[in-house]
Amino acid sequence: MKFFIDTANLDQIKEAMDLGILDGVTTNPSLMAKEGIVGVDNVMNHYTAICELVDGDVSAEVIATDFEGMIKEGEMLADLHPNIVVKIPMTIPGIKAISYLTQQDIKTNCTLVFSSGQAILAAKAGATYVSPFIGRIDDIGWDGMELINEIAEIYAMQDFDTEILAASIRNPKHIIDAALSGADVVTCPLDAILGLAKHPLTDIGLEKFLADHKKANQGH
Ligand code: E4P
């Protein structure tokens, strides 16, 4: 399973890169706005900066909602760097844009996916990735992980090539459950990735090893 970081923050991307476990980055318009990246030139420069930091796919989302606008923006984003994946919302013009960009050999990530029907359409259009939003489904009292399971079953049964990118991950448990459910990729906030390493017995065990070592080595 691939690990992507879900942020536009360069420091956090670098911190995750330094762990040696990062395979890519996803961003969205909200995450770009959170970093104060505004204006077309700044946005384009920021995507380039992310691509120069990370050796892996970097999802950059279109703002246009019409077919022509999405493909124009998608082609512009794809021209920035070979690692750019054009992120397109799950809408009817979005499906058309994914089909078109796929034919141009441009990688796509179909975002804002909340049902298996939407995931089937994304795969049929040739999306490189499909992004079901686990956390937002959980937020409304449904079960986000059930959706990952169902999509994984359908894609395996139908031999679809589209990779399942579990998005809207909120915590380490989401990452473990996504792995168990057959996600190909998880995109997570840095905290959720770091949280995987934490266990109280690890801390207690390390403390004891170091104390025993110190005691045994006194006077040596
Ligand atoms: C990434 O591709 C998605 O845009 C992101 O994971 C959404 O996460 P959120 O639901 O926490 O905003």
Side-chain angles (χ1 to χ4, degrees):
M1 185 174 73
K2 288 188 265 188
F3 263 87
F4 289 178
I5 188 166
D6 196 22
T7 184
N9 182 285
L10 297 180
D11 291 335
Q12 290 191 9
I13 293 170
K14 184 150 188 336
E15 192 175 336
M17 266 307 280
D18 289 346
L19 292 173
I21 52 100
L22 197 67
D23 301 299
V25 177
T26 54
T27 63
N28 63 35
S30 303
L31 293 170
M32 293 292 276
K34 193 172 162 196
E35 297 307 313
I37 317 294
V38 288
V40 179
D41 288 349
N42 289 335
V43 166
M44 295 294 155
N45 290 339
H46 199 74
Y47 285 137
T48 306
I50 295 175
C51 288
E52 281 166 3
L53 264 185
V54 179
D55 184 20
D57 283 348
V58 174
S59 286
E61 189 160 341
V62 297
I63 303 299
T65 54
D66 62 306
F67 170 70
E68 282 78 15
M70 281 194 259
I71 60 171
K72 191 174 155 215
E73 236 183 284
E75 287 175 334
M76 196 164 82
L77 288 165
D79 274 348
L80 282 178
H81 195 280
N83 289 355
I84 288 284
V85 176
V86 181
K87 209 170 175 195
I88 307 261
M90 166 45 70
T91 59
I92 297 299
I95 291 299
K96 274 176 72 180
I98 290 169
S99 302
Y100 176 89
L101 294 170
T102 302
Q103 281 163 29
Q104 312 302 310
D105 275 334
I106 293 175
K107 289 179 283 186
T108 56
N109 173 355
C110 183
T111 190
L112 289 166
V113 165
F114 295 93
S115 76
S116 294
Q118 292 178 325
I120 291 172
L121 266 185
K124 285 296 291 177
T128 316
Y129 298 105
V130 65
S131 288
F133 277 33
I134 294 173
R136 292 194 196 186
I137 294 177
D138 287 357
D139 288 346
I140 60 160
W142 295 12
D143 185 350
M145 220 48 73
E146 247 178 46
L147 178 61
I148 302 289
N149 270 303
E150 196 171 285
I151 298 172
E153 201 178 327
I154 293 169
Y155 279 15
M157 203 180 277
Q158 299 296 331
D159 231 359
F160 285 136
D161 292 330
T162 301
E163 290 186 53
I164 303 168
L165 192 166
S168 189
I169 295 260
R170 303 277 165 77
N171 53 54
K173 175 92 165 64
H174 271 157
I175 300 176
I176 298 161
D177 290 344
L180 279 169
S181 302
D184 300 291
V185 191
V186 277
T187 188
C188 336
L190 181 62
D191 281 356
I193 299 176
L194 298 179
L196 286 175
K198 289 186 192 143
H199 198 287
L201 290 179
T202 304
D203 299 339
I204 293 165
L206 181 59
E207 211 174 299
K208 172 103 172 58
F209 285 156
L210 295 179
D212 289 346
H213 172 82
K214 197 174 167 191
K215 210 161 127 192
N217 284 272
Q218 259 164 10
H220 289 276

